[in-house]
Amino acid sequence: MTADTLVPPRTPQGKASVRRKGPNLEQWGWVFMRVSGVLLIVLIFGHLFVNLMVGEGISALDFAFVAGKFSTPFWQVWDVLMLWLAFIHGTNGMRTIVNDYVTNAKVRRVLVTSLWVVAGFMIILGTLVVFTFDPCIPNLSNGSVVAEVCRAQG
Ligand code: HEM
């Protein structure tokens, strides 16, 4: 077989290709990409539809609009699901690309580890923002709807 001939996909390629015992994480990763892809279609297009098309559409987007959504458990869960799935899906996809193209094992390990560290950090930070968001910050401009709601709440 010449160097430019593709080997059949299931041909064993040395030690790395020998199937170890335990759950097949590569296979579960593959299933996750499909399932999260379907869920992301619903979450992302639902998000875009509600934010940009319902009611006054894009012209209604402001601080009060976001504050209103973050005070509703339904949208908190929606946004956090979108955040988690998009980050895990995107990171796992990038891991696949790195594994496909980076031939140096050390570089590959550094890149894949960095991907998961950044994703983990962003997921924790984003989840904290969604669940601890407080719209009643000092210096809210008088007359704004948010300022009035905050004053009414004391
Ligand atoms: C509309 C929602 C989405 C759908 C339906 C979707 C679907 C998919 C599917 C089925 C795969 C696997 C492809 C394969 O194994 O050959 C994939 C890969 C990937 N996705 Fe998504 N995805 C969506 C959103 C996203 C988002 C928001 C990101 C980034 C945050 C993203 C980043 C990636 C990356 C980097 C890959 C790897 C590509 C590769 O292996 O060459 N996707 N996507």
Side-chain angles (χ1 to χ4, degrees):
M1 194 170 294
T2 57
D4 56 354
T5 313
L6 278 179
V7 214
R10 291 182 196 279
T11 311
Q13 300 287 308
K15 233 169 99 185
S17 69
V18 178
R19 180 75 184 88
R20 277 176 294 164
K21 285 195 184 121
N24 187 344
L25 289 182
E26 269 321 313
Q27 186 183 29
W28 283 113
W30 184 89
V31 172
F32 173 81
M33 292 307 272
R34 261 78 190 157
V35 176
S36 58
V38 173
L39 292 173
L40 279 168
I41 291 181
V42 178
L43 291 167
I44 293 172
F45 285 100
H47 165 84
L48 291 175
F49 180 70
V50 169
N51 281 15
L52 307 179
M53 292 169 83
V54 171
E56 290 168 55
I58 194 167
S59 50
L61 277 191
D62 57 11
F63 185 78
F65 180 89
V66 179
K69 278 185 95 181
F70 280 176
S71 64
T72 322
F74 177 84
W75 288 116
Q76 284 181 327
V77 171
W78 186 291
D79 285 357
V80 160
L81 259 181
M82 197 159 60
L83 173 84
W84 280 65
L85 287 179
F87 257 109
I88 299 174
H89 177 104
T91 306
N92 197 41
M94 283 305 297
R95 182 189 66 90
T96 307
I97 296 172
V98 167
N99 283 343
D100 279 350
Y101 288 98
V102 181
T103 47
N104 182 304
K106 263 194 197 135
V107 177
R108 203 165 52 229
R109 204 168 318 127
V110 169
L111 288 177
V112 171
T113 308
S114 315
L115 279 169
W116 288 117
V117 169
V118 171
F121 181 70
M122 296 302 281
I123 285 174
I124 292 172
L125 215 59
T127 307
L128 275 175
V129 167
V130 172
F131 287 115
T132 62
F133 181 76
D134 177 10
C136 298
I137 47 168
N139 307 325
L140 273 178
S141 58
N142 279 338
S144 78
V145 181
V146 183
E148 270 162 42
V149 172
C150 291
R151 236 190 316 281
Q153 283 175 346

PDB file of all heavy atoms in Angstrom, residues 32 36 39-40 43 76-92 116 119-128 130-131:
ATOM      1  N   PHE A  32     -23.050  12.346  21.958  1.00  0.00           N
ATOM      2  CA  PHE A  32     -23.307  13.659  22.564  1.00  0.00           C
ATOM      3  C   PHE A  32     -23.366  14.760  21.507  1.00  0.00           C
ATOM      4  O   PHE A  32     -24.227  15.651  21.570  1.00  0.00           O
ATOM      5  CB  PHE A  32     -22.225  13.980  23.609  1.00  0.00           C
ATOM      6  CG  PHE A  32     -22.345  15.389  24.141  1.00  0.00           C
ATOM      7  CD1 PHE A  32     -23.273  15.691  25.133  1.00  0.00           C
ATOM      8  CD2 PHE A  32     -21.573  16.416  23.620  1.00  0.00           C
ATOM      9  CE1 PHE A  32     -23.412  16.991  25.590  1.00  0.00           C
ATOM     10  CE2 PHE A  32     -21.707  17.716  24.067  1.00  0.00           C
ATOM     11  CZ  PHE A  32     -22.636  18.002  25.066  1.00  0.00           C
ATOM     12  N   SER A  36     -26.665  16.873  21.388  1.00  0.00           N
ATOM     13  CA  SER A  36     -26.569  18.291  21.743  1.00  0.00           C
ATOM     14  C   SER A  36     -26.821  19.160  20.519  1.00  0.00           C
ATOM     15  O   SER A  36     -27.374  20.256  20.629  1.00  0.00           O
ATOM     16  CB  SER A  36     -25.207  18.611  22.372  1.00  0.00           C
ATOM     17  OG  SER A  36     -24.169  18.277  21.484  1.00  0.00           O
ATOM     18  N   LEU A  39     -30.561  19.553  20.290  1.00  0.00           N
ATOM     19  CA  LEU A  39     -31.041  20.439  21.352  1.00  0.00           C
ATOM     20  C   LEU A  39     -30.622  21.887  21.091  1.00  0.00           C
ATOM     21  O   LEU A  39     -31.386  22.823  21.333  1.00  0.00           O
ATOM     22  CB  LEU A  39     -30.500  19.980  22.718  1.00  0.00           C
ATOM     23  CG  LEU A  39     -31.044  18.655  23.236  1.00  0.00           C
ATOM     24  CD1 LEU A  39     -30.325  18.228  24.505  1.00  0.00           C
ATOM     25  CD2 LEU A  39     -32.544  18.786  23.509  1.00  0.00           C
ATOM     26  N   LEU A  40     -29.397  22.058  20.556  1.00  0.00           N
ATOM     27  CA  LEU A  40     -28.905  23.425  20.296  1.00  0.00           C
ATOM     28  C   LEU A  40     -29.745  24.127  19.228  1.00  0.00           C
ATOM     29  O   LEU A  40     -29.951  25.338  19.299  1.00  0.00           O
ATOM     30  CB  LEU A  40     -27.429  23.397  19.898  1.00  0.00           C
ATOM     31  CG  LEU A  40     -26.448  23.293  21.077  1.00  0.00           C
ATOM     32  CD1 LEU A  40     -25.041  22.984  20.589  1.00  0.00           C
ATOM     33  CD2 LEU A  40     -26.435  24.587  21.891  1.00  0.00           C
ATOM     34  N   LEU A  43     -32.705  25.376  21.190  1.00  0.00           N
ATOM     35  CA  LEU A  43     -32.321  26.421  22.140  1.00  0.00           C
ATOM     36  C   LEU A  43     -31.887  27.702  21.435  1.00  0.00           C
ATOM     37  O   LEU A  43     -32.319  28.806  21.793  1.00  0.00           O
ATOM     38  CB  LEU A  43     -31.184  25.914  23.046  1.00  0.00           C
ATOM     39  CG  LEU A  43     -31.568  24.817  24.048  1.00  0.00           C
ATOM     40  CD1 LEU A  43     -30.326  24.186  24.647  1.00  0.00           C
ATOM     41  CD2 LEU A  43     -32.457  25.393  25.139  1.00  0.00           C
ATOM     42  N   GLN A  76     -33.692  31.391  32.870  1.00  0.00           N
ATOM     43  CA  GLN A  76     -32.399  31.072  33.508  1.00  0.00           C
ATOM     44  C   GLN A  76     -31.969  29.666  33.083  1.00  0.00           C
ATOM     45  O   GLN A  76     -30.835  29.451  32.659  1.00  0.00           O
ATOM     46  CB  GLN A  76     -32.536  31.114  35.033  1.00  0.00           C
ATOM     47  CG  GLN A  76     -32.586  32.517  35.612  1.00  0.00           C
ATOM     48  CD  GLN A  76     -32.693  32.474  37.123  1.00  0.00           C
ATOM     49  OE1 GLN A  76     -33.302  31.578  37.691  1.00  0.00           O
ATOM     50  NE2 GLN A  76     -32.111  33.455  37.779  1.00  0.00           N
ATOM     51  N   VAL A  77     -32.906  28.719  33.182  1.00  0.00           N
ATOM     52  CA  VAL A  77     -32.586  27.326  32.831  1.00  0.00           C
ATOM     53  C   VAL A  77     -32.286  27.227  31.330  1.00  0.00           C
ATOM     54  O   VAL A  77     -31.323  26.574  30.908  1.00  0.00           O
ATOM     55  CB  VAL A  77     -33.741  26.380  33.242  1.00  0.00           C
ATOM     56  CG1 VAL A  77     -33.519  24.981  32.705  1.00  0.00           C
ATOM     57  CG2 VAL A  77     -33.886  26.350  34.751  1.00  0.00           C
ATOM     58  N   TRP A  78     -33.092  27.924  30.498  1.00  0.00           N
ATOM     59  CA  TRP A  78     -32.883  27.916  29.039  1.00  0.00           C
ATOM     60  C   TRP A  78     -31.472  28.412  28.704  1.00  0.00           C
ATOM     61  O   TRP A  78     -30.722  27.771  27.965  1.00  0.00           O
ATOM     62  CB  TRP A  78     -33.934  28.820  28.371  1.00  0.00           C
ATOM     63  CG  TRP A  78     -33.938  28.806  26.869  1.00  0.00           C
ATOM     64  CD1 TRP A  78     -32.973  29.322  26.046  1.00  0.00           C
ATOM     65  CD2 TRP A  78     -34.936  28.253  26.004  1.00  0.00           C
ATOM     66  NE1 TRP A  78     -33.316  29.136  24.731  1.00  0.00           N
ATOM     67  CE2 TRP A  78     -34.526  28.478  24.679  1.00  0.00           C
ATOM     68  CE3 TRP A  78     -36.148  27.595  26.241  1.00  0.00           C
ATOM     69  CZ2 TRP A  78     -35.282  28.067  23.578  1.00  0.00           C
ATOM     70  CZ3 TRP A  78     -36.898  27.193  25.144  1.00  0.00           C
ATOM     71  CH2 TRP A  78     -36.466  27.427  23.825  1.00  0.00           C
ATOM     72  N   ASP A  79     -31.114  29.570  29.272  1.00  0.00           N
ATOM     73  CA  ASP A  79     -29.814  30.180  28.951  1.00  0.00           C
ATOM     74  C   ASP A  79     -28.649  29.342  29.466  1.00  0.00           C
ATOM     75  O   ASP A  79     -27.615  29.215  28.795  1.00  0.00           O
ATOM     76  CB  ASP A  79     -29.741  31.610  29.513  1.00  0.00           C
ATOM     77  CG  ASP A  79     -30.564  32.575  28.670  1.00  0.00           C
ATOM     78  OD1 ASP A  79     -31.126  32.142  27.647  1.00  0.00           O
ATOM     79  OD2 ASP A  79     -30.648  33.764  29.036  1.00  0.00           O
ATOM     80  N   VAL A  80     -28.819  28.770  30.666  1.00  0.00           N
ATOM     81  CA  VAL A  80     -27.731  27.958  31.225  1.00  0.00           C
ATOM     82  C   VAL A  80     -27.558  26.666  30.412  1.00  0.00           C
ATOM     83  O   VAL A  80     -26.426  26.249  30.142  1.00  0.00           O
ATOM     84  CB  VAL A  80     -27.980  27.677  32.726  1.00  0.00           C
ATOM     85  CG1 VAL A  80     -27.189  26.482  33.195  1.00  0.00           C
ATOM     86  CG2 VAL A  80     -27.590  28.887  33.548  1.00  0.00           C
ATOM     87  N   LEU A  81     -28.691  26.074  29.989  1.00  0.00           N
ATOM     88  CA  LEU A  81     -28.604  24.871  29.141  1.00  0.00           C
ATOM     89  C   LEU A  81     -27.863  25.192  27.841  1.00  0.00           C
ATOM     90  O   LEU A  81     -27.003  24.433  27.382  1.00  0.00           O
ATOM     91  CB  LEU A  81     -30.009  24.395  28.788  1.00  0.00           C
ATOM     92  CG  LEU A  81     -30.569  23.208  29.564  1.00  0.00           C
ATOM     93  CD1 LEU A  81     -31.968  22.863  29.046  1.00  0.00           C
ATOM     94  CD2 LEU A  81     -29.652  21.997  29.414  1.00  0.00           C
ATOM     95  N   MET A  82     -28.221  26.366  27.255  1.00  0.00           N
ATOM     96  CA  MET A  82     -27.592  26.777  25.996  1.00  0.00           C
ATOM     97  C   MET A  82     -26.081  26.969  26.212  1.00  0.00           C
ATOM     98  O   MET A  82     -25.263  26.527  25.409  1.00  0.00           O
ATOM     99  CB  MET A  82     -28.254  28.080  25.522  1.00  0.00           C
ATOM    100  CG  MET A  82     -28.015  28.420  24.092  1.00  0.00           C
ATOM    101  SD  MET A  82     -29.274  29.558  23.487  1.00  0.00           S
ATOM    102  CE  MET A  82     -29.078  30.964  24.553  1.00  0.00           C
ATOM    103  N   LEU A  83     -25.743  27.618  27.332  1.00  0.00           N
ATOM    104  CA  LEU A  83     -24.332  27.869  27.662  1.00  0.00           C
ATOM    105  C   LEU A  83     -23.558  26.551  27.818  1.00  0.00           C
ATOM    106  O   LEU A  83     -22.506  26.354  27.191  1.00  0.00           O
ATOM    107  CB  LEU A  83     -24.261  28.667  28.970  1.00  0.00           C
ATOM    108  CG  LEU A  83     -22.891  28.884  29.582  1.00  0.00           C
ATOM    109  CD1 LEU A  83     -22.207  30.082  28.931  1.00  0.00           C
ATOM    110  CD2 LEU A  83     -22.979  29.120  31.076  1.00  0.00           C
ATOM    111  N   TRP A  84     -24.093  25.650  28.638  1.00  0.00           N
ATOM    112  CA  TRP A  84     -23.407  24.376  28.899  1.00  0.00           C
ATOM    113  C   TRP A  84     -23.267  23.556  27.620  1.00  0.00           C
ATOM    114  O   TRP A  84     -22.181  23.077  27.293  1.00  0.00           O
ATOM    115  CB  TRP A  84     -24.177  23.557  29.945  1.00  0.00           C
ATOM    116  CG  TRP A  84     -23.939  23.983  31.352  1.00  0.00           C
ATOM    117  CD1 TRP A  84     -24.276  25.184  31.906  1.00  0.00           C
ATOM    118  CD2 TRP A  84     -23.314  23.224  32.393  1.00  0.00           C
ATOM    119  NE1 TRP A  84     -23.903  25.206  33.231  1.00  0.00           N
ATOM    120  CE2 TRP A  84     -23.321  24.028  33.556  1.00  0.00           C
ATOM    121  CE3 TRP A  84     -22.769  21.942  32.452  1.00  0.00           C
ATOM    122  CZ2 TRP A  84     -22.782  23.585  34.765  1.00  0.00           C
ATOM    123  CZ3 TRP A  84     -22.231  21.512  33.657  1.00  0.00           C
ATOM    124  CH2 TRP A  84     -22.246  22.328  34.802  1.00  0.00           C
ATOM    125  N   LEU A  85     -24.392  23.405  26.905  1.00  0.00           N
ATOM    126  CA  LEU A  85     -24.354  22.543  25.716  1.00  0.00           C
ATOM    127  C   LEU A  85     -23.442  23.125  24.640  1.00  0.00           C
ATOM    128  O   LEU A  85     -22.662  22.399  24.027  1.00  0.00           O
ATOM    129  CB  LEU A  85     -25.769  22.327  25.172  1.00  0.00           C
ATOM    130  CG  LEU A  85     -26.643  21.394  26.013  1.00  0.00           C
ATOM    131  CD1 LEU A  85     -28.036  21.272  25.410  1.00  0.00           C
ATOM    132  CD2 LEU A  85     -26.011  20.003  26.120  1.00  0.00           C
ATOM    133  N   ALA A  86     -23.549  24.457  24.394  1.00  0.00           N
ATOM    134  CA  ALA A  86     -22.725  25.066  23.346  1.00  0.00           C
ATOM    135  C   ALA A  86     -21.244  24.943  23.700  1.00  0.00           C
ATOM    136  O   ALA A  86     -20.416  24.623  22.843  1.00  0.00           O
ATOM    137  CB  ALA A  86     -23.109  26.526  23.136  1.00  0.00           C
ATOM    138  N   PHE A  87     -20.899  25.166  24.996  1.00  0.00           N
ATOM    139  CA  PHE A  87     -19.485  25.090  25.376  1.00  0.00           C
ATOM    140  C   PHE A  87     -18.950  23.660  25.309  1.00  0.00           C
ATOM    141  O   PHE A  87     -17.857  23.420  24.784  1.00  0.00           O
ATOM    142  CB  PHE A  87     -19.247  25.686  26.767  1.00  0.00           C
ATOM    143  CG  PHE A  87     -18.644  27.057  26.680  1.00  0.00           C
ATOM    144  CD1 PHE A  87     -19.379  28.175  27.012  1.00  0.00           C
ATOM    145  CD2 PHE A  87     -17.350  27.233  26.223  1.00  0.00           C
ATOM    146  CE1 PHE A  87     -18.839  29.443  26.889  1.00  0.00           C
ATOM    147  CE2 PHE A  87     -16.800  28.494  26.103  1.00  0.00           C
ATOM    148  CZ  PHE A  87     -17.550  29.612  26.436  1.00  0.00           C
ATOM    149  N   ILE A  88     -19.736  22.713  25.831  1.00  0.00           N
ATOM    150  CA  ILE A  88     -19.246  21.326  25.819  1.00  0.00           C
ATOM    151  C   ILE A  88     -19.198  20.808  24.377  1.00  0.00           C
ATOM    152  O   ILE A  88     -18.236  20.168  23.965  1.00  0.00           O
ATOM    153  CB  ILE A  88     -20.103  20.423  26.733  1.00  0.00           C
ATOM    154  CG1 ILE A  88     -20.031  20.938  28.169  1.00  0.00           C
ATOM    155  CG2 ILE A  88     -19.621  18.975  26.679  1.00  0.00           C
ATOM    156  CD1 ILE A  88     -20.946  20.220  29.143  1.00  0.00           C
ATOM    157  N   HIS A  89     -20.247  21.142  23.590  1.00  0.00           N
ATOM    158  CA  HIS A  89     -20.288  20.730  22.181  1.00  0.00           C
ATOM    159  C   HIS A  89     -19.113  21.348  21.400  1.00  0.00           C
ATOM    160  O   HIS A  89     -18.382  20.646  20.693  1.00  0.00           O
ATOM    161  CB  HIS A  89     -21.633  21.176  21.592  1.00  0.00           C
ATOM    162  CG  HIS A  89     -21.810  20.907  20.137  1.00  0.00           C
ATOM    163  ND1 HIS A  89     -22.593  19.884  19.664  1.00  0.00           N
ATOM    164  CD2 HIS A  89     -21.324  21.543  19.034  1.00  0.00           C
ATOM    165  CE1 HIS A  89     -22.572  19.898  18.342  1.00  0.00           C
ATOM    166  NE2 HIS A  89     -21.815  20.896  17.935  1.00  0.00           N
ATOM    167  N   GLY A  90     -18.940  22.661  21.555  1.00  0.00           N
ATOM    168  CA  GLY A  90     -17.864  23.364  20.835  1.00  0.00           C
ATOM    169  C   GLY A  90     -16.489  22.854  21.244  1.00  0.00           C
ATOM    170  O   GLY A  90     -15.611  22.632  20.408  1.00  0.00           O
ATOM    171  N   THR A  91     -16.309  22.626  22.563  1.00  0.00           N
ATOM    172  CA  THR A  91     -15.008  22.169  23.054  1.00  0.00           C
ATOM    173  C   THR A  91     -14.728  20.737  22.592  1.00  0.00           C
ATOM    174  O   THR A  91     -13.617  20.421  22.155  1.00  0.00           O
ATOM    175  CB  THR A  91     -14.966  22.248  24.598  1.00  0.00           C
ATOM    176  OG1 THR A  91     -15.317  23.569  24.977  1.00  0.00           O
ATOM    177  CG2 THR A  91     -13.592  21.912  25.135  1.00  0.00           C
ATOM    178  N   ASN A  92     -15.754  19.889  22.653  1.00  0.00           N
ATOM    179  CA  ASN A  92     -15.541  18.509  22.197  1.00  0.00           C
ATOM    180  C   ASN A  92     -15.263  18.487  20.689  1.00  0.00           C
ATOM    181  O   ASN A  92     -14.445  17.695  20.216  1.00  0.00           O
ATOM    182  CB  ASN A  92     -16.759  17.646  22.547  1.00  0.00           C
ATOM    183  CG  ASN A  92     -16.428  16.173  22.475  1.00  0.00           C
ATOM    184  OD1 ASN A  92     -15.357  15.751  22.913  1.00  0.00           O
ATOM    185  ND2 ASN A  92     -17.305  15.404  21.870  1.00  0.00           N
ATOM    186  N   TRP A 116     -10.429  22.291  27.658  1.00  0.00           N
ATOM    187  CA  TRP A 116     -11.364  21.930  28.737  1.00  0.00           C
ATOM    188  C   TRP A 116     -11.259  22.884  29.913  1.00  0.00           C
ATOM    189  O   TRP A 116     -12.260  23.190  30.560  1.00  0.00           O
ATOM    190  CB  TRP A 116     -11.156  20.479  29.180  1.00  0.00           C
ATOM    191  CG  TRP A 116     -11.644  19.496  28.149  1.00  0.00           C
ATOM    192  CD1 TRP A 116     -10.893  18.588  27.471  1.00  0.00           C
ATOM    193  CD2 TRP A 116     -12.982  19.340  27.647  1.00  0.00           C
ATOM    194  NE1 TRP A 116     -11.676  17.873  26.588  1.00  0.00           N
ATOM    195  CE2 TRP A 116     -12.967  18.308  26.672  1.00  0.00           C
ATOM    196  CE3 TRP A 116     -14.200  19.975  27.910  1.00  0.00           C
ATOM    197  CZ2 TRP A 116     -14.113  17.903  25.983  1.00  0.00           C
ATOM    198  CZ3 TRP A 116     -15.338  19.566  27.220  1.00  0.00           C
ATOM    199  CH2 TRP A 116     -15.290  18.550  26.276  1.00  0.00           C
ATOM    200  N   ALA A 119     -13.116  26.027  28.873  1.00  0.00           N
ATOM    201  CA  ALA A 119     -14.556  25.751  28.826  1.00  0.00           C
ATOM    202  C   ALA A 119     -15.116  25.649  30.250  1.00  0.00           C
ATOM    203  O   ALA A 119     -16.163  26.229  30.553  1.00  0.00           O
ATOM    204  CB  ALA A 119     -14.820  24.465  28.053  1.00  0.00           C
ATOM    205  N   GLY A 120     -14.399  24.937  31.130  1.00  0.00           N
ATOM    206  CA  GLY A 120     -14.862  24.773  32.517  1.00  0.00           C
ATOM    207  C   GLY A 120     -14.975  26.125  33.205  1.00  0.00           C
ATOM    208  O   GLY A 120     -15.979  26.420  33.870  1.00  0.00           O
ATOM    209  N   PHE A 121     -13.963  26.981  33.007  1.00  0.00           N
ATOM    210  CA  PHE A 121     -13.949  28.309  33.617  1.00  0.00           C
ATOM    211  C   PHE A 121     -15.134  29.134  33.121  1.00  0.00           C
ATOM    212  O   PHE A 121     -15.862  29.753  33.911  1.00  0.00           O
ATOM    213  CB  PHE A 121     -12.614  28.990  33.266  1.00  0.00           C
ATOM    214  CG  PHE A 121     -12.458  30.363  33.857  1.00  0.00           C
ATOM    215  CD1 PHE A 121     -12.293  30.526  35.225  1.00  0.00           C
ATOM    216  CD2 PHE A 121     -12.462  31.483  33.041  1.00  0.00           C
ATOM    217  CE1 PHE A 121     -12.154  31.789  35.773  1.00  0.00           C
ATOM    218  CE2 PHE A 121     -12.317  32.752  33.569  1.00  0.00           C
ATOM    219  CZ  PHE A 121     -12.161  32.910  34.946  1.00  0.00           C
ATOM    220  N   MET A 122     -15.356  29.133  31.815  1.00  0.00           N
ATOM    221  CA  MET A 122     -16.440  29.926  31.236  1.00  0.00           C
ATOM    222  C   MET A 122     -17.813  29.397  31.667  1.00  0.00           C
ATOM    223  O   MET A 122     -18.732  30.171  31.905  1.00  0.00           O
ATOM    224  CB  MET A 122     -16.353  29.935  29.702  1.00  0.00           C
ATOM    225  CG  MET A 122     -15.106  30.589  29.160  1.00  0.00           C
ATOM    226  SD  MET A 122     -14.907  32.290  29.696  1.00  0.00           S
ATOM    227  CE  MET A 122     -16.021  33.125  28.591  1.00  0.00           C
ATOM    228  N   ILE A 123     -17.929  28.078  31.790  1.00  0.00           N
ATOM    229  CA  ILE A 123     -19.205  27.487  32.204  1.00  0.00           C
ATOM    230  C   ILE A 123     -19.524  27.884  33.654  1.00  0.00           C
ATOM    231  O   ILE A 123     -20.641  28.302  33.970  1.00  0.00           O
ATOM    232  CB  ILE A 123     -19.173  25.942  32.048  1.00  0.00           C
ATOM    233  CG1 ILE A 123     -19.299  25.573  30.570  1.00  0.00           C
ATOM    234  CG2 ILE A 123     -20.285  25.281  32.853  1.00  0.00           C
ATOM    235  CD1 ILE A 123     -19.149  24.093  30.273  1.00  0.00           C
ATOM    236  N   ILE A 124     -18.502  27.816  34.526  1.00  0.00           N
ATOM    237  CA  ILE A 124     -18.718  28.192  35.934  1.00  0.00           C
ATOM    238  C   ILE A 124     -19.078  29.676  36.019  1.00  0.00           C
ATOM    239  O   ILE A 124     -20.052  30.079  36.670  1.00  0.00           O
ATOM    240  CB  ILE A 124     -17.458  27.878  36.783  1.00  0.00           C
ATOM    241  CG1 ILE A 124     -17.276  26.358  36.883  1.00  0.00           C
ATOM    242  CG2 ILE A 124     -17.580  28.475  38.174  1.00  0.00           C
ATOM    243  CD1 ILE A 124     -15.974  25.924  37.519  1.00  0.00           C
ATOM    244  N   LEU A 125     -18.296  30.517  35.308  1.00  0.00           N
ATOM    245  CA  LEU A 125     -18.524  31.968  35.340  1.00  0.00           C
ATOM    246  C   LEU A 125     -19.923  32.310  34.806  1.00  0.00           C
ATOM    247  O   LEU A 125     -20.678  33.062  35.433  1.00  0.00           O
ATOM    248  CB  LEU A 125     -17.463  32.645  34.460  1.00  0.00           C
ATOM    249  CG  LEU A 125     -16.946  33.993  34.886  1.00  0.00           C
ATOM    250  CD1 LEU A 125     -16.325  33.903  36.269  1.00  0.00           C
ATOM    251  CD2 LEU A 125     -15.915  34.494  33.882  1.00  0.00           C
ATOM    252  N   GLY A 126     -20.291  31.741  33.659  1.00  0.00           N
ATOM    253  CA  GLY A 126     -21.586  32.024  33.032  1.00  0.00           C
ATOM    254  C   GLY A 126     -22.743  31.564  33.907  1.00  0.00           C
ATOM    255  O   GLY A 126     -23.740  32.263  34.055  1.00  0.00           O
ATOM    256  N   THR A 127     -22.585  30.379  34.520  1.00  0.00           N
ATOM    257  CA  THR A 127     -23.656  29.847  35.375  1.00  0.00           C
ATOM    258  C   THR A 127     -23.842  30.750  36.588  1.00  0.00           C
ATOM    259  O   THR A 127     -24.963  31.065  36.984  1.00  0.00           O
ATOM    260  CB  THR A 127     -23.301  28.413  35.829  1.00  0.00           C
ATOM    261  OG1 THR A 127     -23.004  27.643  34.659  1.00  0.00           O
ATOM    262  CG2 THR A 127     -24.454  27.757  36.560  1.00  0.00           C
ATOM    263  N   LEU A 128     -22.713  31.214  37.160  1.00  0.00           N
ATOM    264  CA  LEU A 128     -22.795  32.134  38.299  1.00  0.00           C
ATOM    265  C   LEU A 128     -23.517  33.417  37.907  1.00  0.00           C
ATOM    266  O   LEU A 128     -24.362  33.914  38.643  1.00  0.00           O
ATOM    267  CB  LEU A 128     -21.378  32.479  38.802  1.00  0.00           C
ATOM    268  CG  LEU A 128     -20.758  31.497  39.788  1.00  0.00           C
ATOM    269  CD1 LEU A 128     -19.324  31.901  40.094  1.00  0.00           C
ATOM    270  CD2 LEU A 128     -21.575  31.469  41.077  1.00  0.00           C
ATOM    271  N   VAL A 130     -25.738  33.928  35.515  1.00  0.00           N
ATOM    272  CA  VAL A 130     -27.177  33.731  35.279  1.00  0.00           C
ATOM    273  C   VAL A 130     -27.933  33.588  36.606  1.00  0.00           C
ATOM    274  O   VAL A 130     -29.007  34.160  36.778  1.00  0.00           O
ATOM    275  CB  VAL A 130     -27.421  32.498  34.382  1.00  0.00           C
ATOM    276  CG1 VAL A 130     -28.913  32.177  34.293  1.00  0.00           C
ATOM    277  CG2 VAL A 130     -26.862  32.743  32.986  1.00  0.00           C
ATOM    278  N   PHE A 131     -27.353  32.846  37.568  1.00  0.00           N
ATOM    279  CA  PHE A 131     -28.106  32.587  38.796  1.00  0.00           C
ATOM    280  C   PHE A 131     -27.880  33.619  39.908  1.00  0.00           C
ATOM    281  O   PHE A 131     -28.601  33.606  40.902  1.00  0.00           O
ATOM    282  CB  PHE A 131     -27.817  31.179  39.317  1.00  0.00           C
ATOM    283  CG  PHE A 131     -28.467  30.119  38.465  1.00  0.00           C
ATOM    284  CD1 PHE A 131     -27.707  29.210  37.737  1.00  0.00           C
ATOM    285  CD2 PHE A 131     -29.857  30.041  38.360  1.00  0.00           C
ATOM    286  CE1 PHE A 131     -28.306  28.243  36.932  1.00  0.00           C
ATOM    287  CE2 PHE A 131     -30.470  29.081  37.560  1.00  0.00           C
ATOM    288  CZ  PHE A 131     -29.694  28.181  36.840  1.00  0.00           C
TER     289      PHE A 131
END
